[in-house]
Amino acid sequence: MANEVYTRSNQALFFARMAIDAWADAAGSDAVNAVSLVRYHREHALFHLYRGVLAVVHEVADRYRWPLMDVRTVEQVLTAQVAERFPGPELAELTELAQAGDSWLGRLLEGWRQLHMPPKPEESKPQDSSLIASSAVKSDRQWDLEDAREAHAALAERLSCYREGMLEW
């Protein structure tokens, strides 16, 4: 592949698609290690989608010649202050999506944050004595396969729109 900024975006989307497909296969598997495979492919898809968002930010920054090529995390750049400093429709849209917790990007970033959190020990006794099994109720929403599929499709669509807008006719 050429050593161009856009190749990282393409690679991230390709590897994310492979991880999502493998995740779906593992989720439908009866194998003994299916639970471990599901978790592995979930984290693998999350990694490549996060990397894809960062690559899109780098691609947009390269197009506008903004000094954002050294940014190493999405959270560093998708803030209101950075969007004001570097005005552009692409960065503004990504910032708005990142700040909306119910958007595909907001859920992806929350899944990424949860991935880096230390594991929480499960409580062995119920908090409410009227509950039979309090561990059956999970408070944190997990990033799931549908979230991954939606994020992949939305990221591919955004990237396609951004690239079309960057073409000189």
Side-chain angles (χ1 to χ4, degrees):
M1 286 187 144
N3 191 19
E4 299 290 335
V5 176
Y6 66 86
T7 59
R8 289 187 47 232
S9 308
N10 295 345
Q11 287 174 343
L13 283 174
F14 175 77
F15 291 136
R17 168 53 51 206
M18 289 179 58
I20 291 168
D21 291 344
W23 183 2
D25 291 344
S29 173
D30 292 338
V32 174
N33 64 344
V35 172
S36 296
L37 286 174
V38 165
R39 183 176 178 138
Y40 167 75
H41 292 303
R42 176 186 177 274
E43 292 180 7
H44 194 207
L46 192 53
F47 168 77
H48 286 298
L49 287 169
Y50 182 89
R51 185 175 150 250
V53 173
L54 185 60
V56 168
V57 168
H58 287 159
E59 194 170 326
V60 169
D62 185 59
R63 164 71 169 118
Y64 290 113
R65 304 292 185 241
W66 291 334
L68 297 174
M69 297 301 287
D70 292 333
V71 172
R72 296 294 173 242
T73 66
V74 172
E75 295 83 1
Q76 286 178 313
V77 73
L78 296 184
T79 65
Q81 296 82 10
V82 174
E84 287 176 15
R85 185 170 173 214
F86 301 104
E90 301 89 355
L91 195 57
E93 180 182 25
L94 288 174
T95 301
E96 185 176 321
L97 286 169
Q99 293 174 352
D102 59 337
S103 70
W104 66 269
L105 185 52
R107 289 191 309 272
L108 187 143
L109 293 176
E110 178 60 23
W112 183 254
R113 188 189 65 74
Q114 287 177 1
L115 181 65
H116 290 88
M117 297 287 290
K120 290 189 263 185
E122 296 285 330
E123 290 189 25
S124 60
K125 61 180 179 177
Q127 294 180 0
D128 184 3
S129 60
S130 65
L131 291 177
I132 294 172
S134 65
S135 63
V137 180
K138 298 281 185 186
S139 61
D140 291 339
R141 183 188 179 282
Q142 289 290 319
W143 194 72
D144 62 14
L145 189 55
E146 290 309 311
D147 290 332
R149 287 181 174 143
E150 180 185 355
H152 184 271
L155 184 59
E157 180 186 346
R158 291 294 86 222
L159 187 59
S160 176
C161 288
Y162 296 164
R163 287 179 177 168
E164 187 176 316
M166 290 182 207
L167 291 177
E168 295 181 17
W169 298 97

